[in-house]
Amino acid sequence: MTPLPEALLPALREALGAAQVLSDPADCLAYSYDNSKRVALPQAVVFASSHEQVQAVVRHCYELRVPLTVRGRGTNTTGATVPLAGGVVLSLERMNRILEISPGDRLLRCEAGVLNGEVQAAAAAHGLFWAPDPTSAAFSTVGGNIGCGAGGPRAVKYGTTRENVLGLRAVSGAGVSLKTGCMTTKGVVGYDLTRLLIGSEGTLAIVTEATLKLLPRPRAQRMLRACYADIGAAARAVSRIMNQPETPSALEFMDGEAVRLAEAYQRTGVPSGTGALLLIEVDGHEQTIGFAQVAVQQAAQGEGLIELKAAGSAAEAEALWACRKALSPSLRKIAPKKVNEDVVVPVTRIPELVEGLAQLARKHAIRIVNFGHAGNGNLHTNLLVDPEDPAQMQAVQACLREVFRLVLDLDGSLSGEHGVGIDKRDFVGWEIAADTLRVMHDLKRSLDPHGILNPGKTLP
Amino acid sequence: MTPLPEALLPALREALGAAQVLSDPADCLAYSYDNSKRVALPQAVVFASSHEQVQAVVRHCYELRVPLTVRGRGTNTTGATVPLAGGVVLSLERMNRILEISPGDRLLRCEAGVLNGEVQAAAAAHGLFWAPDPTSAAFSTVGGNIGCGAGGPRAVKYGTTRENVLGLRAVSGAGVSLKTGCMTTKGVVGYDLTRLLIGSEGTLAIVTEATLKLLPRPRAQRMLRACYADIGAAARAVSRIMNQPETPSALEFMDGEAVRLAEAYQRTGVPSGTGALLLIEVDGHEQTIGFAQVAVQQAAQGEGLIELKAAGSAAEAEALWACRKALSPSLRKIAPKKVNEDVVVPVTRIPELVEGLAQLARKHAIRIVNFGHAGNGNLHTNLLVDPEDPAQMQAVQACLREVFRLVLDLDGSLSGEHGVGIDKRDFVGWEIAADTLRVMHDLKRSLDPHGILNPGKTLP
């Protein structure tokens, strides 16, 4: 790795204060990995406290052509914040102020390092919430959610990050200060840079501040569990549920293998013969929630339904979720590692996907378990493996390639919410045509002319 | 105007067939204007029937550096399809095929020249709809809706075009074929070119095909009319209505002046003393609609409410809309021309906006009437003028500048749904900072290196 240019660290210390610049490898270690378990040591870690400081950092890195990887809390699973090329990691963890909350306008403006959970708490005080709810919500940042285009179970009703951000402040790879979008839920002046930056994993610009669209927090929830004979019956039920106006606030799915593993770990009362299971939540007003539940129940009914259970209380809802919650420990018990791919296909193609995955599991002698966000067709496909077994790890790589091919043959996409990072970078060219990719590279060059921002990520 | 390069028309005739290329000014006349009433004669008009033909047209124009303006049905109000620099108008009116409808996946794929109304009819056959509902829906195209980022009253609940398109096919200004987005409601692979093209008014690429996100069509509607003493009371009611989970499917607004004019034209029973009026629609299931109505009624209640009326039947709903419907003829009666600006501000700033507009009306001796989509803060501000009176037309220009300044001072945006086109191009620099604009120009150059696509629009 090329050493950092001599002028860099003094310039960064000058801009940020000496205490905000770490260059001892021991200090940098904690910023060398993320939830992907990949590791690459940065040559320096710096902490910015303001948009202007971020701009100063980018400008120095731009002038000296030093790789710069922005980081929230590193909860992403794809290696998106691992500084592959070394250089500087810019942590925004100290940019953690909520700048404004306007309940009457249903918006919250905050710095990028604020935790999703902190936004939820501030919004909840006014009866509001921000839609993105990744599993990491308690400890992932708004900037990270924006970088990855985070989703979560609620996206089926309320949309992902893309649909719930009004505007951004950011700094391009050339150190240019950007202000995108607006303070309103409508706006068509200029090009939509907001959405261009969402999901770009810090490769086009560094987001420093966001204006988030808040939504009214439903006061009541109801929970249903529907067990079907097979995946086809469950997928047809998902289509029916999504084609009536009472959109559920969660429409989660487990395939037969997932149900069997979870039940083997801990019996939660799923009837035998269940080949696929849906966990359905509706939310709304206390006065209307019962009717929403009835509407969804009616839609859930149909050929192949084995059992439909509604929770009458919070405790009963907990009991219905128990099968899903037993899944993670059951997977850990039978396999030391799971390779989790969040592929997405049109809802009607879910049965073909699950059947195709079962064939690949047999072919490669790898156990595959599927669950996920059925309403969006977003499956979490888990390949269960022993990382100590080199033959199996090789089989996994071969199998994954066939999984991705299958998903694309079914008009799907390689990632619904986790993103590309390093993990899927080499497969992006399978999904996006070469000409379109070239245009994406052109846009990247236009915003980051020296290619300093998060090199080696997102685009092949 | 420079004559067309000699090689162009033969090349276009070769690519499209001679009958698809018009160059007689008399034939071109119908493609020289749009709903902005501006006029600029193109030097040729061509009709494409496929993505490949569009690509051929762009490539020829690119090589010969000829301006190229794409056109659906020209219903936009901003001059966005007027070929300012002459050159070629490319009409997509013959690309009018619905290619696929998949109710189970809630998506419809169509060519760009299909009418919004045709999409609605095809979707309705499966109990679905596409959210964008501009007034022009019956005769505006999907491609035009995408170019402008069209909205409409339903956007308050279902979002605008931006939130309801999954993917696109398009041709960049360099003749590169693009495929953006995916067939699913989630997807984070590559950069979001879909949203970048939406609202870009044909200045970055020519959209040839779109995959639209459909939604379940609500089976029941209820209509309310709420009359308030003043605009402050109405705006606070809008905030309350938007802060509870039963989001209305329309939340329209008329200011006191609009109500007085409409009532003077035709009495529709609005109580005297009404300073602002809300027309509220809720939709949903037959079984839940009554409760949704109650929830919205409760939220509509509060200080300053004069009267709240709910329609018990379709005929009564019609009667409640009557005041709004009387407005357009009433405006035509008192002024030959209205300058309609669709500015947008955060909901809590609506009272300041309406009060500020009243002051400007007095200052410039111009009658200003406001109505629009209150739930999004999207006001249609109408300056009533006599185009034969040069002094008044000059006053309008001065007044408009102050209107735009006021909107921006209130954290608003110059356009919520109509777009920029020619009309607001010179004011875009007031809203978007110079640095950010430069980046937008860079992106434009990257996608349209010779600047042939719709020159003189969108960006200053």
mmCIF file of all heavy atoms in Angstrom, chain A residues 221-242:
data_model
loop_
_atom_site.group_PDB
_atom_site.id
_atom_site.type_symbol
_atom_site.label_atom_id
_atom_site.label_comp_id
_atom_site.label_asym_id
_atom_site.label_seq_id
_atom_site.Cartn_x
_atom_site.Cartn_y
_atom_site.Cartn_z
ATOM 1 N N GLN A 221 -51.832 -2.416 16.418
ATOM 2 C CA GLN A 221 -51.304 -3.465 15.542
ATOM 3 C C GLN A 221 -52.112 -4.745 15.748
ATOM 4 O O GLN A 221 -52.614 -4.981 16.838
ATOM 5 C CB GLN A 221 -49.837 -3.803 15.870
ATOM 6 C CG GLN A 221 -48.799 -3.012 15.122
ATOM 7 C CD GLN A 221 -48.356 -1.793 15.898
ATOM 8 O OE1 GLN A 221 -48.458 -1.763 17.119
ATOM 9 N NE2 GLN A 221 -47.890 -0.774 15.202
ATOM 10 N N ARG A 222 -52.197 -5.542 14.717
ATOM 11 C CA ARG A 222 -52.732 -6.898 14.849
ATOM 12 C C ARG A 222 -51.816 -7.836 14.093
ATOM 13 O O ARG A 222 -51.232 -7.462 13.078
ATOM 14 C CB ARG A 222 -54.149 -7.002 14.258
ATOM 15 C CG ARG A 222 -55.224 -6.265 15.026
ATOM 16 C CD ARG A 222 -55.619 -6.988 16.309
ATOM 17 N NE ARG A 222 -56.527 -6.146 17.096
ATOM 18 C CZ ARG A 222 -57.847 -6.129 16.912
ATOM 19 N NH1 ARG A 222 -58.414 -6.918 16.009
ATOM 20 N NH2 ARG A 222 -58.614 -5.346 17.645
ATOM 21 N N MET A 223 -51.756 -9.037 14.589
ATOM 22 C CA MET A 223 -50.785 -10.005 14.093
ATOM 23 C C MET A 223 -51.518 -11.274 13.654
ATOM 24 O O MET A 223 -52.387 -11.758 14.367
ATOM 25 C CB MET A 223 -49.851 -10.289 15.288
ATOM 26 C CG MET A 223 -48.793 -11.287 15.061
ATOM 27 S SD MET A 223 -47.594 -10.616 13.905
ATOM 28 C CE MET A 223 -47.120 -12.166 13.148
ATOM 29 N N LEU A 224 -51.134 -11.780 12.493
ATOM 30 C CA LEU A 224 -51.712 -13.028 11.986
ATOM 31 C C LEU A 224 -50.590 -13.984 11.600
ATOM 32 O O LEU A 224 -49.525 -13.543 11.165
ATOM 33 C CB LEU A 224 -52.542 -12.775 10.720
ATOM 34 C CG LEU A 224 -53.731 -11.833 10.793
ATOM 35 C CD1 LEU A 224 -54.175 -11.453 9.377
ATOM 36 C CD2 LEU A 224 -54.867 -12.514 11.542
ATOM 37 N N ARG A 225 -50.845 -15.278 11.720
ATOM 38 C CA ARG A 225 -49.931 -16.273 11.175
ATOM 39 C C ARG A 225 -50.719 -17.203 10.267
ATOM 40 O O ARG A 225 -51.743 -17.753 10.684
ATOM 41 C CB ARG A 225 -49.281 -17.086 12.309
ATOM 42 C CG ARG A 225 -48.157 -17.992 11.798
ATOM 43 C CD ARG A 225 -47.632 -18.887 12.901
ATOM 44 N NE ARG A 225 -48.616 -19.908 13.244
ATOM 45 C CZ ARG A 225 -48.559 -20.664 14.339
ATOM 46 N NH1 ARG A 225 -47.579 -20.505 15.213
ATOM 47 N NH2 ARG A 225 -49.491 -21.563 14.587
ATOM 48 N N ALA A 226 -50.276 -17.324 9.031
ATOM 49 C CA ALA A 226 -50.974 -18.175 8.057
ATOM 50 C C ALA A 226 -50.034 -19.274 7.593
ATOM 51 O O ALA A 226 -48.926 -18.993 7.146
ATOM 52 C CB ALA A 226 -51.442 -17.348 6.868
ATOM 53 N N CYS A 227 -50.493 -20.533 7.731
ATOM 54 C CA CYS A 227 -49.668 -21.681 7.344
ATOM 55 C C CYS A 227 -50.255 -22.315 6.085
ATOM 56 O O CYS A 227 -51.455 -22.586 6.028
ATOM 57 C CB CYS A 227 -49.638 -22.705 8.475
ATOM 58 S SG CYS A 227 -48.943 -22.017 9.997
ATOM 59 N N TYR A 228 -49.410 -22.536 5.103
ATOM 60 C CA TYR A 228 -49.853 -23.085 3.817
ATOM 61 C C TYR A 228 -49.168 -24.423 3.536
ATOM 62 O O TYR A 228 -48.079 -24.691 4.050
ATOM 63 C CB TYR A 228 -49.536 -22.100 2.686
ATOM 64 C CG TYR A 228 -50.278 -20.800 2.842
ATOM 65 C CD1 TYR A 228 -49.719 -19.744 3.568
ATOM 66 C CD2 TYR A 228 -51.555 -20.632 2.302
ATOM 67 C CE1 TYR A 228 -50.404 -18.564 3.749
ATOM 68 C CE2 TYR A 228 -52.254 -19.443 2.473
ATOM 69 C CZ TYR A 228 -51.679 -18.415 3.193
ATOM 70 O OH TYR A 228 -52.372 -17.243 3.383
ATOM 71 N N ALA A 229 -49.839 -25.202 2.664
ATOM 72 C CA ALA A 229 -49.309 -26.520 2.333
ATOM 73 C C ALA A 229 -48.003 -26.405 1.549
ATOM 74 O O ALA A 229 -47.104 -27.220 1.712
ATOM 75 C CB ALA A 229 -50.343 -27.309 1.524
ATOM 76 N N ASP A 230 -47.911 -25.404 0.693
ATOM 77 C CA ASP A 230 -46.702 -25.282 -0.108
ATOM 78 C C ASP A 230 -46.452 -23.811 -0.463
ATOM 79 O O ASP A 230 -47.301 -22.946 -0.253
ATOM 80 C CB ASP A 230 -46.801 -26.148 -1.373
ATOM 81 C CG ASP A 230 -48.037 -25.808 -2.172
ATOM 82 O OD1 ASP A 230 -48.200 -24.631 -2.560
ATOM 83 O OD2 ASP A 230 -48.878 -26.708 -2.376
ATOM 84 N N ILE A 231 -45.289 -23.594 -1.039
ATOM 85 C CA ILE A 231 -44.841 -22.249 -1.326
ATOM 86 C C ILE A 231 -45.723 -21.571 -2.391
ATOM 87 O O ILE A 231 -45.965 -20.362 -2.340
ATOM 88 C CB ILE A 231 -43.344 -22.274 -1.747
ATOM 89 C CG1 ILE A 231 -42.827 -20.883 -2.058
ATOM 90 C CG2 ILE A 231 -43.085 -23.215 -2.899
ATOM 91 C CD1 ILE A 231 -42.701 -20.037 -0.845
ATOM 92 N N GLY A 232 -46.237 -22.354 -3.325
ATOM 93 C CA GLY A 232 -47.107 -21.787 -4.356
ATOM 94 C C GLY A 232 -48.355 -21.187 -3.734
ATOM 95 O O GLY A 232 -48.756 -20.063 -4.078
ATOM 96 N N ALA A 233 -48.967 -21.923 -2.803
ATOM 97 C CA ALA A 233 -50.176 -21.429 -2.144
ATOM 98 C C ALA A 233 -49.863 -20.152 -1.352
ATOM 99 O O ALA A 233 -50.646 -19.189 -1.359
ATOM 100 C CB ALA A 233 -50.752 -22.504 -1.224
ATOM 101 N N ALA A 234 -48.712 -20.130 -0.699
ATOM 102 C CA ALA A 234 -48.333 -18.948 0.096
ATOM 103 C C ALA A 234 -48.091 -17.745 -0.816
ATOM 104 O O ALA A 234 -48.520 -16.621 -0.512
ATOM 105 C CB ALA A 234 -47.077 -19.249 0.928
ATOM 106 N N ALA A 235 -47.411 -17.967 -1.949
ATOM 107 C CA ALA A 235 -47.120 -16.845 -2.858
ATOM 108 C C ALA A 235 -48.404 -16.289 -3.460
ATOM 109 O O ALA A 235 -48.548 -15.078 -3.624
ATOM 110 C CB ALA A 235 -46.159 -17.303 -3.957
ATOM 111 N N ARG A 236 -49.358 -17.183 -3.775
ATOM 112 C CA ARG A 236 -50.627 -16.692 -4.306
ATOM 113 C C ARG A 236 -51.367 -15.880 -3.237
ATOM 114 O O ARG A 236 -52.001 -14.859 -3.538
ATOM 115 C CB ARG A 236 -51.483 -17.857 -4.814
ATOM 116 C CG ARG A 236 -50.981 -18.408 -6.170
ATOM 117 C CD ARG A 236 -51.954 -19.408 -6.790
ATOM 118 N NE ARG A 236 -52.090 -20.638 -5.997
ATOM 119 C CZ ARG A 236 -51.237 -21.671 -6.052
ATOM 120 N NH1 ARG A 236 -50.194 -21.646 -6.853
ATOM 121 N NH2 ARG A 236 -51.437 -22.732 -5.302
ATOM 122 N N ALA A 237 -51.237 -16.300 -1.985
ATOM 123 C CA ALA A 237 -51.852 -15.524 -0.902
ATOM 124 C C ALA A 237 -51.187 -14.146 -0.778
ATOM 125 O O ALA A 237 -51.866 -13.140 -0.554
ATOM 126 C CB ALA A 237 -51.737 -16.294 0.421
ATOM 127 N N VAL A 238 -49.868 -14.101 -0.945
ATOM 128 C CA VAL A 238 -49.163 -12.813 -0.884
ATOM 129 C C VAL A 238 -49.706 -11.874 -1.966
ATOM 130 O O VAL A 238 -50.012 -10.709 -1.704
ATOM 131 C CB VAL A 238 -47.635 -13.004 -1.045
ATOM 132 C CG1 VAL A 238 -46.933 -11.664 -1.215
ATOM 133 C CG2 VAL A 238 -47.057 -13.738 0.167
ATOM 134 N N SER A 239 -49.867 -12.396 -3.196
ATOM 135 C CA SER A 239 -50.439 -11.575 -4.274
ATOM 136 C C SER A 239 -51.829 -11.071 -3.891
ATOM 137 O O SER A 239 -52.152 -9.904 -4.086
ATOM 138 C CB SER A 239 -50.530 -12.382 -5.574
ATOM 139 O OG SER A 239 -49.259 -12.490 -6.169
ATOM 140 N N ARG A 240 -52.665 -11.973 -3.344
ATOM 141 C CA ARG A 240 -54.028 -11.554 -2.974
ATOM 142 C C ARG A 240 -53.990 -10.486 -1.882
ATOM 143 O O ARG A 240 -54.712 -9.492 -1.936
ATOM 144 C CB ARG A 240 -54.849 -12.755 -2.478
ATOM 145 C CG ARG A 240 -55.253 -13.742 -3.566
ATOM 146 C CD ARG A 240 -56.374 -14.678 -3.080
ATOM 147 N NE ARG A 240 -56.012 -15.418 -1.867
ATOM 148 C CZ ARG A 240 -55.361 -16.593 -1.858
ATOM 149 N NH1 ARG A 240 -54.998 -17.162 -3.003
ATOM 150 N NH2 ARG A 240 -55.090 -17.195 -0.717
ATOM 151 N N ILE A 241 -53.125 -10.689 -0.898
ATOM 152 C CA ILE A 241 -53.038 -9.724 0.213
ATOM 153 C C ILE A 241 -52.574 -8.366 -0.300
ATOM 154 O O ILE A 241 -53.102 -7.323 0.092
ATOM 155 C CB ILE A 241 -52.080 -10.259 1.311
ATOM 156 C CG1 ILE A 241 -52.688 -11.483 1.992
ATOM 157 C CG2 ILE A 241 -51.774 -9.177 2.341
ATOM 158 C CD1 ILE A 241 -51.718 -12.268 2.864
ATOM 159 N N MET A 242 -51.606 -8.384 -1.227
ATOM 160 C CA MET A 242 -51.065 -7.118 -1.737
ATOM 161 C C MET A 242 -52.002 -6.449 -2.738
ATOM 162 O O MET A 242 -51.808 -5.293 -3.086
ATOM 163 C CB MET A 242 -49.698 -7.352 -2.393
ATOM 164 C CG MET A 242 -48.604 -7.748 -1.416
ATOM 165 S SD MET A 242 -48.333 -6.512 -0.126
ATOM 166 C CE MET A 242 -47.660 -5.150 -1.098
#
